[in-house]
């Protein structure tokens, strides 16, 4: 009895899904049928009886192809968990020039609205994905659409045939009912392989997206390096360099006073010694910010544990056996954890945090969770956005779960073949 109920549930869900696939797949053929019906209704003597249906077919197919593909991607992701990348070209930024005109990547316009509108249509009509969508809109009705139409067609035949008195009609109705019930759990399933085959980005589109991504990463890396160099220069100029200059002046003055005022010379020597100690401490802090020695000597796990001791939080570090990664990846993960813990203190006002370092196959996973007020998100120009871009250089990912009120959980995952 339980198996019968399970089968009935599967058949019901499958029937609904098959109807949805049939409707979505047959939208474009429905436009074609409407165009043909319009031409027949006007009759052969009407001069528009052939031109108007042709225009309707072309316009309807172009207008419906992209919405149909988006609905198919949504259904496949919802039902099977398979995410098919859209692969559409993204519009670039619109910039106002010194002349007052707006540059949209293709030409100059007088207003920002005109620049955005021109850019939208240029990107839309020059996108190679249009041909892919048109191909799928024509292919889907003949493949997944026909398979998905079997259960609703069988149900319609059953409804019509079983209501007729003749034995042939009733036999047809019974066969239609059997086809509808037996095929319902499976009729919608061809949609996934067909969509994956025809809707995934072409190699040329994937290559173009990868080139754009690498270009953006290179620009981000250049900006980060320039900012880091400026930070180091500023720290040296305002800290250690100023102290060393003062140290030199103190030593010169002490040398001049050695004969005439030994007590004052000894005082200056003590001040110089204190300045040298402070300069050494500042240089150590600067080196710690560039590349912590503990990270180089003892690895990521011990470096994160040492970092946790300096954070004004109750930080718990859970880790697998000591991880030894490639130095650039170790540095990226370490400074990512440092930034997340700093955010927990400054912005989230957390009292406790937990850092989990683990490995899965060839990936290293770092997860930071705090009990702060939450609300963290990826804002343009924000620290988390910059962290995601820095991880993307290594094909890493950043996942954020931070509902208002907390807790905040950030997961960094970076592939590393050396594991």
């Amino acid at each position: 009895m339980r198996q019968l109920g399970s089968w009935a549930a599967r058949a019901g869900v499958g029937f609904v899904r098959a109807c949805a696939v049939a409707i979505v797949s047959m939208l474009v053929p429905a436009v074609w049928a409407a165009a043909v019906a319009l031409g027949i209704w006007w009759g052969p003597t009407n001069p528009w009886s052939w031109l108007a249906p042709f225009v309707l077919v072309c316009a309807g197919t172009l207008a419906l192809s992209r919405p149909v593909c988006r609905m198919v991607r949504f259904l496949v992701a919802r039902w099977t968990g398979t995410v098919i990348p859209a692969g559409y070209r993204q519009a670039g930024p619109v910039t106002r020039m010194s002349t007052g005109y707006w540059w949209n990547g293709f030409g100059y316009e007088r207003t920002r609205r005109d620049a955005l509108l021109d850019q939208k249509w240029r990107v839309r009509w020059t996108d190679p994905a249009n041909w892919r969508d048109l191909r799928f809109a024509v292919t889907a009705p003949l493949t997944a659409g026909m398979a998905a139409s079997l259960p609703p067609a069988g149900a319609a035949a059953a409804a019509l045939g079983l209501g007729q008195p003749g034995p042939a009609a009733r036999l047809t109705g019974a066969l239609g009912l059997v086809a509808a019930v037996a095929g319902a759990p499976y009729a919608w399933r061809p949609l996934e392989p067909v969509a994956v085959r025809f809707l995934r980005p072409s190699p040329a589109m994937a290559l173009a997206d990868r080139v754009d991504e690498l270009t953006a990463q290179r620009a981000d890396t250049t900006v980060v390096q320039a900012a880091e160099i400026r930070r180091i220069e500023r720290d040296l100029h305002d800290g250690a360099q100023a102290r060393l200059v003062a140290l030199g002046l103190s030593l010169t003055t002490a040398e001049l006073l050695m004969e005439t005022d030994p007590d004052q010379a000894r005082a200056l020597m003590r001040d110089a010694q204190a300045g040298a100690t402070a300069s050494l401490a500042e240089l150590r802090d600067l080196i710690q910010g560039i590349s912590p020695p503990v990270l180089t000597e003892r690895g990521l796990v011990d470096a994160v544990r040492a970092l946790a001791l300096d954070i004004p939080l109750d930080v718990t570090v859970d880790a697998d056996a000591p991880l030894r990664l490639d130095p650039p990846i170790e540095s990226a993960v370490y400074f990512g954890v440092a930034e997340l813990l700093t955010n927990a203190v400054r912005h989230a006002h957390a009292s406790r945090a937990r850092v989990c370092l683990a490995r899965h196959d060839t990936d290293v996973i770092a997860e930071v969770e705090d009990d702060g007020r939450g609300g963290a998100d990826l804002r343009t120009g924000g620290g988390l956005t910059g962290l995601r871009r820095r991880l993307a250089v290594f094909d890493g990912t950043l996942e954020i779960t931070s509902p208002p009120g907390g807790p905040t959980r950030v997961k960094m995952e970076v592939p590393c073949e050396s594991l």
Side-chain angles (χ1 to χ4, degrees), residues 118-277:
D118 178 71
Q119 181 191 59
K120 173 185 175 182
W121 289 109
R122 285 178 181 268
V123 170
R124 176 68 182 270
W125 293 114
T126 58
D127 193 348
N130 290 329
W131 299 106
R132 179 201 60 194
D133 291 350
L134 289 173
R135 181 182 61 179
F136 179 79
V138 175
T139 305
L142 303 177
T143 52
M146 292 184 64
S149 300
L150 180 61
L160 295 176
L162 295 178
Q164 299 296 325
R170 293 192 174 185
L171 178 60
T172 302
L175 293 176
L177 181 61
V178 171
V181 174
Y186 312 103
W188 63 273
R189 295 187 180 276
L191 179 67
E192 180 187 7
V194 172
V196 171
R197 170 64 179 82
F198 289 99
L199 282 185
R200 63 186 177 186
S202 66
M205 296 164 60
L207 180 60
D209 292 341
R210 184 59 175 166
V211 169
D212 293 340
E213 180 182 355
L214 292 176
T215 301
Q217 291 176 3
R218 182 183 64 182
D220 292 337
T221 302
T222 303
V223 171
V224 170
Q225 288 177 345
E228 187 67 13
I229 291 173
R230 288 195 300 270
R231 182 187 71 83
I232 295 172
E233 180 183 6
R234 184 176 62 253
D235 291 345
L236 287 174
H237 182 273
D238 298 340
Q241 180 179 345
R243 290 185 181 276
L244 291 175
V245 170
L247 176 62
L249 293 175
S250 298
L251 291 175
T252 302
T253 305
E255 182 181 5
L256 296 176
L257 294 175
M258 189 67 70
E259 299 292 338
T260 60
D261 193 350
D263 294 335
Q264 182 67 22
R266 281 192 291 270
L268 289 175
M269 294 290 288
R270 287 193 296 269
D271 292 341
Q273 183 180 7
T277 303

Side-chain angles (χ1 to χ4, degrees), residues 3 25 28 64 81 95 98 112 122 141 162 170 215 218 236 241 246 249 253 294 302 326 372 416 418:
Q3 293 180 350
S25 302
V28 173
L64 288 175
T95 307
S98 59
R112 185 174 187 272
R122 285 178 181 268
L162 295 178
R170 293 192 174 185
T215 301
R218 182 183 64 182
L236 287 174
Q241 180 179 345
L249 293 175
T253 305
V294 66
D302 288 339
D326 295 336
C416 183
S418 63

Side-chain angles (χ1 to χ4, degrees), residues 393-418:
V393 175
F394 306 98
D395 290 332
T397 59
L398 182 72
E399 298 179 8
I400 302 174
T401 304
S402 183
T408 296
R409 183 181 297 107
V410 181
K411 178 182 177 182
M412 298 180 291
E413 186 169 354
V414 182
C416 183
E417 296 295 336
S418 63

Side-chain angles (χ1 to χ4, degrees), residues 27-120:
L27 284 176
V28 173
V31 172
W32 300 346
V36 173
L38 180 63
I40 295 175
W41 180 71
W42 275 348
T45 57
N46 193 319
W48 292 98
S49 61
W50 63 273
L51 182 59
F54 177 77
V55 173
L56 181 60
V57 166
C58 295
T61 303
L62 289 173
L64 288 175
S65 59
R66 184 164 291 191
V68 165
C69 294
R70 286 176 173 168
M71 285 188 285
V72 167
R73 289 191 192 92
F74 171 77
L75 294 178
V76 171
R78 181 74 178 271
W79 294 342
T80 67
T82 302
V83 178
I84 305 174
Y88 297 118
R89 281 185 176 175
Q90 301 297 321
V94 174
T95 307
R96 188 171 188 177
M97 310 303 293
S98 59
T99 58
Y101 284 82
W102 292 84
W103 170 255
N104 60 11
F106 300 95
Y108 296 95
E109 299 292 339
R110 291 184 177 273
T111 64
R112 185 174 187 272
R113 178 179 175 275
D114 292 342
L116 289 173
L117 187 62
D118 178 71
Q119 181 191 59
K120 173 185 175 182

Side-chain angles (χ1 to χ4, degrees), residues 1 8 32 47 81 134 172 220 245-246 278 289-290 336-337 350 354 356 370 378:
M1 190 65 181
W32 300 346
L134 289 173
T172 302
D220 292 337
V245 170
I290 299 173
V337 172
R354 183 181 66 88
C356 181
D370 65 69
L378 293 169

